[in-house]
Amino acid sequence: MQFTINGNRMDLIMDPRTSLLDLLRDHLGLGGTKKGCNQGACGACTVLVDGERINSCLALAVQYEGRSITTIEGLAAQGSLHPLQQAFVDHDGFQCGYCTPGQICSAVGMADEVKRAVPSYVTEDLLLDEIELTDSELRERMSGNICRCGAYNGIVDAIRETFAADRTEPNDRETAR
Ligand code: FES
Ligand code: FES
């Protein structure tokens, strides 16, 4: 099977019953993606597939053959933290850190959904071309990512600073620092 993982094209031979999460962690040594519940309830295993967030524990790797997969290891470009990673540090957005890679991958995918005006459960006007990332939108859209340490206020602050404070692209803001 052929995949592109964090920009690297890979041809792999594996049992077709292997989950995407187990492929990443156990076969490729990408331990940043975490296994929490292993049944789609916690979000710790969230990765991006062609920019869309999925729970990798619920996916068979074979379903994503030929696709581009990004894990937390792939978000930090050339040794420097992604702006959202830095914001998590700045706002104490984690304690044990177990949920953090999933939170960050999920938030990156979530921000793209907002940019594309994909409505959420709390979006009142479904015909809007632009959706504001209010705190209620943010909390609803991130509700699939559980933090057992309860670091939610810091998580929300970090995501708000990175994606909701203005419409500037995060990488542009990083350059401007
Ligand atoms: S480990 Fe996948 S949702 Fe919990
Ligand atoms: S920081 Fe510990 S589970 Fe979220």
Side-chain angles (χ1 to χ4, degrees), residues 3-63:
F3 304 90
T4 300
I5 299 177
N6 296 333
N8 301 312
R9 189 183 156 130
M10 298 180 181
D11 290 293
L12 305 168
I13 297 171
M14 77 184 83
D15 187 321
R17 296 166 295 183
T18 307
S19 73
L20 181 56
L21 177 59
D22 287 345
L23 168 67
L24 295 170
R25 288 183 57 82
D26 300 341
H27 297 262
L28 300 178
L30 293 169
T33 306
K34 297 295 187 273
K35 182 179 281 188
C37 63
N38 205 28
Q39 56 181 10
C42 74
C45 64
T46 306
V47 298
L48 298 165
V49 177
D50 294 324
E52 292 195 12
R53 51 185 175 163
I54 66 161
N55 288 336
S56 60
C57 69
L58 293 183
L60 291 174
V62 67
Q63 292 174 261

Side-chain angles (χ1 to χ4, degrees), residues 5 11 35 86 123 130 142 147 177:
I5 299 177
D11 290 293
K35 182 179 281 188
Q86 185 61 54
T123 306
E130 215 173 89
M142 291 300 295
C147 176
R177 274 185 187 171

Side-chain angles (χ1 to χ4, degrees), residues 94-100 147-149 151:
F94 57 91
Q95 288 180 35
C96 76
Y98 201 81
C99 73
T100 311
C147 176
R148 292 290 299 268
C149 297

Side-chain angles (χ1 to χ4, degrees), residues 84-95:
L84 183 56
Q85 291 177 303
Q86 185 61 54
F88 266 65
V89 174
D90 295 342
H91 291 279
D92 288 334
F94 57 91
Q95 288 180 35

